[in-house]
Amino acid sequence: MTSPTATYRPPRDHYDVVVAGGGPAGCAAALTLSRAGRTVLLADSATGPPKTGEALVPVARLLLHDLQVPDTVLTGGHLPCHGNHSSWGSTALHTVDFIRDPYGHGWHLDRPLFDRTLRAAARAAGADVAEHTAVRRPLRRRDGSWRLTLHAAPAGPRTVTCRWIVDATGRRAAIAVTAGARRHVEDRLTAHHLTLDALPEATDGHSLVESAPDGWWYTTLLPSRRRLVAYFTDPDLFTPADFRRRLLTTRYVAPTAHPHGLGTPTPPRRAPAHSAHLDHVHGDGWIAAGDAAVAFDPLSAQGILTALCTGLGAGRAIDAHLRGTRGALDAYTAEITTARIAYQHAHRTAHAQETRWPDRPFWSRRQGTAAARAG
């Protein structure tokens, strides 16, 4: 690993691009722009609880290759993911294995480690990386540049200017909304999750999804050998006190989780999991990537893949635009729209396959929306 002294660069006052958000989307944009010769500041606020239980599908190898990120980013600290089990539409358990996938297996990620490794790659590519730094008060100036306040702990605020901003702030799309974009929220899906005790000898390489009358369950083994259990439903259909009782009614998730201990009184944590998108993904000097541009239901298992893809696309679009390529930003919009339409079709199809509880609110809301769109 390169030492901090070897990679230190005095901070600039002006950048071609400031990337707000140090997750996969922001890192992909920063990598792409830095390798194109642009001056880039990647600001990672590190706010909110760390994300756990996320997986990366095998085809992500191609995106990492396009980003020139070495395969070593996935060799240490992550668990191989060999496929998925699901009980959906019936009580039968179906399995999709990656054994025949041309790109090999996927990964159960140590997400904080994955993000840190990507930020290190961005730094090595030439980007300035500001940890624990939030972008505040973006002001568009008459000369077409932005003035931003960077709030860093413990150093305090400083001001920089830039030509473009990449909004990779997640579902809240903080920069885009401030610039006038509107978020369209398609549902109210919420994740309620617990991390159970570690089981050092555990080797399960598959994730598990199980539908239920008022939502669906997900469980996976984490790289720490602890087990994540998550319940996805709408806020009005669930109270945290129901978590353990509902978990014990599952046919597959409870037996899988039981060796890790189910007696904990700890209430589940809560996280947004809704589908959403912006009415426009770029504007005057800004562009959105990752969940800020388009956020998918975790059932799709496309979150990190989409983040990497849109971050790469946003970086390429800005660079092409700055080089004078006409239509580069509109082409990026078309890519986002195509991905969103494909996701919505797959989302409708998946929920239509679960027909056991048509009168329960969780399913009628989604199947009713699907029927309305089809009509």
Side-chain angles (χ1 to χ4, degrees):
M1 178 177 288
T2 307
S3 69
T5 302
T7 59
Y8 174 75
R9 288 179 292 270
R12 300 171 180 265
D13 295 324
H14 178 79
Y15 294 88
D16 291 327
V17 184
V18 169
V19 180
C27 290
L31 277 161
T32 303
L33 288 159
S34 295
R35 297 196 193 283
R38 305 296 176 182
T39 57
V40 179
L41 172 67
L42 176 62
D44 175 43
S45 65
T47 57
K51 296 184 178 181
T52 60
E54 293 185 277
L56 194 61
V57 294
V59 72
R61 291 180 192 270
L62 290 181
L63 278 174
L64 293 174
H65 180 268
D66 288 344
L67 291 166
Q68 301 179 47
V69 174
D71 288 344
T72 53
V73 71
L74 294 168
T75 55
H78 310 290
L79 281 180
C81 175
H82 296 295
N84 307 297
H85 301 305
S86 65
S87 174
W88 191 276
S90 75
T91 58
L93 191 66
H94 301 278
T95 299
V96 174
D97 281 311
F98 294 152
I99 191 168
R100 292 194 176 124
D101 194 295
Y103 304 108
H105 61 73
W107 298 268
H108 296 300
L109 294 178
D110 178 332
R111 177 61 189 277
L113 173 62
F114 183 68
D115 289 2
R116 287 196 304 271
T117 307
L118 288 179
R119 289 196 293 272
R123 184 183 287 110
D128 287 349
V129 179
E131 305 277 1
H132 303 283
T133 300
V135 176
R136 297 281 188 266
R137 295 195 294 273
L139 176 65
R140 191 70 163 156
R141 304 196 303 180
R142 291 183 178 180
D143 65 359
S145 66
W146 290 93
R147 185 179 71 193
L148 309 170
T149 300
L150 304 177
H151 284 263
R158 72 182 178 101
T159 301
V160 300
T161 59
C162 64
R163 300 170 70 183
W164 273 78
I165 305 174
V166 176
D167 185 346
T169 60
R171 278 181 167 84
R172 61 194 182 99
I175 304 298
V177 170
T178 299
R182 294 183 59 186
R183 294 180 68 247
H184 293 276
V185 178
E186 299 181 22
D187 55 61
R188 296 184 296 160
L189 189 70
T190 303
H192 303 267
H193 58 95
L194 276 180
T195 303
L196 305 180
D197 295 341
L199 197 63
E201 65 272 21
T203 59
D204 183 13
H206 289 73
S207 60
L208 170 62
V209 170
E210 181 175 352
S211 56
D214 295 310
W216 55 275
W217 291 85
Y218 172 81
T219 186
T220 190
L221 189 67
L222 302 176
S224 63
R225 298 308 195 274
R226 302 180 74 184
R227 177 164 290 279
L228 177 79
V229 177
Y231 181 50
F232 293 85
T233 187
D234 295 334
D236 61 321
L237 305 178
F238 176 79
T239 60
D242 285 340
F243 187 89
R244 188 174 187 277
R245 178 184 63 80
R246 294 197 187 194
L247 172 59
L248 292 175
T249 67
T250 59
R251 179 183 294 262
Y252 299 106
V253 173
T256 302
H258 187 269
H260 294 264
L262 299 180
T264 175
T266 305
R269 302 183 74 166
R270 178 173 171 168
H274 56 268
S275 304
H277 65 275
L278 292 177
D279 62 348
H280 54 286
V281 295
H282 69 83
D284 184 19
W286 65 268
I287 195 167
D291 283 351
V294 57
F296 294 160
D297 184 325
L299 185 65
S300 70
Q302 294 180 20
I304 297 180
L305 182 70
T306 302
L308 292 171
C309 186
T310 57
L312 174 66
R316 286 175 170 172
I318 292 175
D319 179 59
H321 177 76
L322 292 175
R323 286 189 284 105
T325 303
R326 297 183 62 179
L329 299 174
D330 290 339
Y332 176 70
T333 293
E335 292 172 2
I336 297 292
T337 300
T338 298
R340 176 169 58 84
I341 291 173
Y343 158 75
Q344 289 172 335
H345 174 74
H347 188 264
R348 292 194 297 268
T349 300
H351 286 82
Q353 290 172 351
E354 181 50 86
T355 59
R356 288 177 289 173
W357 307 289
D359 298 327
R360 301 298 283 256
F362 180 85
W363 298 101
S364 63
R365 288 167 184 171
R366 284 149 181 85
Q367 291 162 358
T369 299
R373 285 177 176 166

